[in-house]
Amino acid sequence: MESMIESQDDLRERVIARYRLGEGEELAFNQLSRTVAEVFGFPIALLTVLRRDRQMFQGVCGVSGTGTSRESAFCSHTVRKAEVMVVEDALLDPRFRDNDHVTGHPFIRFYAGAPVTIAGVAVGALCVIDHQPRNFSAEQRELLSHLADVAASLIETRLDSFVSERRERELKRQTDLLRVMLDNVDQGIAYFDDALKLTLWNERFFELHGFPDEMKRRGADAAEMLRISINWGLFGPEATEAWVPEMLEAIRNTPSSERTIATREGRLLHSVRIRLDDRQGFIVAVRDLTAERSASRAKDEFISTVSHELRTPLTAIRGALALLNSSIEGKVGDGEKLMLQMAEKNSLRLNRLIDDILDIERLSRGQTGYFMVPILMEDVVRDAVQQNQPFAHSLGVKLVGHARQTLPVSGDPGRLLQVLTNLIANAVRHSPEGAEVDVVAVMTERGVRVEVCDRGSGVPADFVDRLFERFSQAIDPNRRGHGGTGLGLAISRAIIEQHGGRIGYSPRDGGGSSFWIELPAA
C-alpha cells in the first residue's frame, strides 16, 4: 500500500509540474473560491493542491496564508476518494479532532471537499469550511462536485494559455532573430503573405527598390510597390502601370521567377521570387550585381590582357629552347641537356595554361565561334581514343572505345573532341598501371550519351560539388603524369552547355569514376 501511495504521489507531482500548479494563489482561482463561498453561504472556500510535503492554496477565500503542512490537510484524505468527502463535525471525527486547524485557527468544525482531477489524477480539492457543525445535502454535494469539474477545466484552459504565451514569446524571439539576420545580409529580402501584403522585410530591400519610408509597415500593398517600381524604371522604359494586373496574376499563379533589372541610376539588380510550398505567400530576394559585374569585367580584361602579353614572349622562348635543344646534341653534358629539355617542357605547359585561360574566358563570354555541323558521335569517340592512345600507352593504361551505334548529333567536332580528350586524359592520369579506361557511347531517351569510365581512386565526396569550377583540382596521391591546369572540366562544361547538352560525374560501383556528357540527338 505504501509503495502505491508513493507511486500516486509521483504521478501527482508530474501533473502538478506540467500544469504549473502549487506555486501560490492566483486571481482567477481566488475569484472562483469567493464565488463558491457565496453560493454555499460558507465563510471559507479553498482550491488546494496537494504537494509531496505540503498543501498549497491555489485559490483562497476567508483565510490568509499560502498553505498548510500535509499532515494537517483535510485535502490529503479527499484526494483518495472518488466522491465528495464531508466532515459534518470535526470534533466528533477521530481522524481530525486533534488536528491543529480544528483545535486552533481557523477552528474547522465542518468540511466538505470534492477532488479536483486533472488527466485522471486527483491533484487537490475544492472545499468549503465553516466554524460550526453543519449538514450537507446530496444536492449540495453534487453541486460542489460540478464546481470541482469547473476548477479542473479552468486549470486545463490555463495550461493552453501558458502554451499560447510560450509560443507567442518563442515566435517573437524567432522573429527578432530573423530580423537581425535579415538586416545583416547584403541582399534585399521581403516576405509577402497570400493577400500580397508586406509582412517582413529588411532595410536593404527598400534601399535597392527606392520605396518611400512610409511603406515600411506591415500590410503595405505589393500592387502599389509594383507601380512605384515601374515609374522608377525598374522594369524597363516600355513598362507602364497598365502592366500591374498582369504582373499580379503572374505572381499568384507561378511558383517562381527570376530577372535582372537595370535601374535608371545604372545599377544592375538580380531579383528572385519564390512562392512558399504552403501557398501562403512568397519571398523576394534582390541582389545588387553592379559592383560584382564591374569587378568581373575588370578581372576578365586583366586576364585577357596579361595572357595575350605573355603569349608573345613565351612563343619566342619556346622557339629558342626548341632550336637550342636540336643544335646541342653532343656539345653539352647530360645534366645541361636534361635542364634544357625540362625548360622546353615547362614552357609548353605554360603555353597550354595560357591557352586554357584565354579559352575559358572566351567561352564564358560567348565570344568563341562554333562550327556546328551534322556529325556522328561515334566518329568523334573513335578519333579521341586513337589520338590519346600514345598517352595512355606511356602510362601503361589500356584505352578502349565502345561505340557501335549510329549516333547523330549537331555540333562542332573540334570542340567535342576537345571535351573527350580532357575527360580521357583525366581518366588515364588517375588510373593505376595495367588498368583499363572505357569510352562508351550509346543512344538513350535523353539523346546521345558518352561515358569515360576508369577504375581509379574516384572523386572525394566533399569535392564533387566543385568538380567543374575553374582551377579546381582534388588531391590524388595516385595521379600520374603531369597535372592539368584545373580548367579542363570548366572548359568542357562550357562547351557542352553551349551545345545544349549536359555534363556530369557519377561514382562507379566497386571504385572509380564515370564522367559523362549528354547531347541532343540530331
Side-chain angles (χ1 to χ4, degrees):
M1 177 64 74
E2 184 64 25
S3 63
M4 184 180 299
I5 293 173
E6 291 177 355
S7 174
Q8 188 69 12
D9 276 347
D10 290 340
L11 183 58
R12 182 181 297 114
E13 284 293 327
R14 285 198 293 273
V15 175
I16 288 172
R18 180 188 175 195
Y19 285 83
R20 295 171 60 180
L21 297 169
E23 298 175 0
E25 60 184 86
E26 296 179 28
L27 177 61
F29 296 120
N30 283 346
Q31 292 172 339
L32 174 65
S33 299
R34 188 160 51 248
T35 300
V36 170
E38 291 173 355
V39 166
F40 288 99
F42 280 73
I44 300 172
L46 300 171
L47 176 60
T48 64
V49 174
L50 192 65
R51 304 301 302 265
R52 196 182 299 276
D53 57 353
R54 188 168 175 79
Q55 172 187 251
M56 301 298 297
F57 297 158
Q58 197 76 32
V60 183
C61 176
V63 295
S64 59
T66 59
T68 69
S69 66
R70 177 163 175 156
E71 289 76 15
S72 61
F74 283 54
C75 176
S76 61
H77 296 268
T78 306
V79 297
R80 299 179 186 179
K81 296 181 175 294
E83 67 280 343
V84 175
M85 185 185 86
V86 178
V87 180
E88 294 185 340
D89 189 342
L91 289 177
L92 301 179
D93 192 317
R95 295 173 297 174
F96 303 110
R97 61 190 176 198
D98 296 325
N99 188 293
D100 292 343
H101 299 294
V102 174
T103 60
H105 184 78
F107 300 102
I108 298 173
R109 291 293 296 277
F110 175 87
Y111 172 92
V116 176
T117 302
I118 306 292
V121 179
V123 297
L126 180 66
C127 62
V128 288
I129 296 171
D130 201 346
H131 309 301
Q132 304 296 329
R134 295 183 64 158
N135 293 323
F136 209 61
S137 67
E139 291 78 8
Q140 289 176 309
R141 292 171 188 245
E142 185 177 2
L143 178 57
L144 184 61
S145 178
H146 286 324
L147 290 171
D149 291 341
V150 171
S153 297
L154 284 174
I155 290 171
E156 291 175 340
T157 303
R158 171 179 169 276
L159 177 64
D160 293 338
S161 176
F162 285 150
V163 171
S164 178
E165 290 174 4
R166 185 165 61 248
R167 286 176 178 169
E168 187 173 343
R169 287 196 301 270
E170 178 62 19
L171 179 60
K172 184 179 183 304
R173 187 190 70 80
Q174 292 180 0
T175 301
D176 291 343
L177 178 61
L178 179 59
R179 186 169 294 282
V180 170
M181 293 172 62
L182 290 180
D183 286 338
N184 283 276
V185 299
D186 191 46
Q187 293 189 43
I189 298 176
Y191 167 67
F192 293 82
D193 63 19
D194 58 337
L196 305 187
K197 303 294 184 182
L198 182 65
T199 301
L200 187 66
W201 66 92
N202 65 358
E203 292 296 324
R204 185 67 169 156
F205 179 78
F206 277 80
E207 176 190 333
L208 291 175
H209 285 89
F211 295 136
D213 287 343
E214 56 264 27
M215 298 198 78
K216 295 178 181 178
R217 55 180 170 78
R218 288 178 61 88
D221 189 19
E224 182 61 24
M225 290 184 169
L226 285 174
R227 292 188 186 95
I228 292 174
S229 298
I230 287 173
N231 292 329
W232 199 35
L234 284 183
F235 294 95
E238 71 282 1
T240 67
E241 291 189 16
W243 288 21
V244 171
E246 185 178 342
M247 295 170 78
L248 292 175
E249 190 67 20
I251 289 172
R252 292 188 181 98
N253 296 312
T254 57
S256 63
S257 69
E258 184 174 352
R259 64 180 297 152
T260 300
I261 304 167
T263 71
R264 290 178 179 175
E265 290 80 6
R267 288 194 298 177
L268 202 63
L269 305 182
H270 182 70
S271 177
V272 177
R273 174 180 56 81
I274 302 174
R275 190 172 62 201
L276 302 185
D277 290 340
D278 58 6
R279 302 180 67 88
Q280 293 301 305
F282 65 92
I283 293 173
V284 177
V286 184
R287 188 158 58 98
D288 190 342
L289 300 179
T290 310
E292 183 179 321
R293 290 289 177 89
S294 177
S296 179
R297 282 196 301 270
K299 179 206 67 176
D300 292 344
E301 290 172 2
F302 172 77
I303 291 176
S304 180
T305 301
V306 170
S307 299
H308 279 294
E309 292 298 324
L310 284 175
R311 175 176 279 179
T312 301
L314 185 60
T315 302
I317 293 171
R318 280 183 54 203
L321 287 170
L323 181 61
L324 190 59
N325 276 323
S326 64
S327 62
I328 61 171
E329 191 66 36
K331 298 179 181 178
V332 298
D334 291 341
E336 290 84 351
K337 183 178 180 180
L338 182 61
M339 292 181 66
L340 287 170
Q341 289 174 344
M342 186 182 300
E344 183 181 5
K345 187 179 297 183
N346 284 321
S347 71
L348 286 171
R349 291 184 61 194
L350 185 55
N351 194 79
R352 199 158 51 242
L353 173 60
I354 292 172
D355 287 343
D356 282 349
I357 291 174
L358 289 173
D359 211 6
I360 192 66
E361 291 303 320
R362 285 194 296 264
L363 285 168
S364 64
R365 295 197 300 268
Q367 295 178 348
T368 299
Y370 285 83
F371 185 60
M372 307 295 278
V373 295
I375 56 174
L376 297 177
M377 201 61 198
E378 66 269 26
D379 293 340
V380 180
V381 169
R382 184 187 63 249
D383 291 344
V385 170
Q386 289 178 350
Q387 291 182 23
N388 285 278
Q389 281 289 7
F391 175 62
H393 181 73
S394 68
L395 294 180
V397 174
K398 186 179 180 182
L399 185 57
V400 182
H402 307 269
R404 297 183 178 87
Q405 294 176 269
T406 299
L407 305 170
V409 299
S410 177
D412 184 323
R415 286 296 185 178
L416 294 177
L417 180 62
Q418 180 183 355
V419 171
L420 290 185
T421 296
N422 278 330
L423 299 183
I424 291 172
N426 284 340
V428 170
R429 289 191 190 99
H430 292 275
S431 295
E433 188 173 357
E436 182 175 296
V437 170
D438 296 297
V439 185
V440 182
V442 295
M443 183 70 74
T444 70
E445 293 180 357
R446 289 180 174 271
V448 175
R449 181 182 177 97
V450 182
E451 294 187 43
V452 179
C453 309
D454 65 57
R455 285 296 180 187
S457 53
V459 177
D462 60 355
F463 187 77
V464 171
D465 291 340
R466 293 181 287 141
L467 262 175
F468 296 93
E469 295 179 2
R470 301 182 187 188
F471 301 106
S472 292
Q473 287 184 301
I475 298 175
D476 182 3
N478 298 317
R479 183 178 64 191
R480 298 181 300 146
H482 292 298
T485 62
L487 290 170
L489 290 178
I491 292 172
S492 298
R493 180 175 65 177
I495 293 172
I496 294 301
E497 288 178 350
Q498 291 181 20
H499 276 74
R502 301 191 310 148
I503 186 170
Y505 158 82
S506 302
R508 295 187 69 186
D509 293 338
S513 302
S514 173
F515 283 86
W516 51 265
I517 62 172
E518 288 180 345
L519 296 169

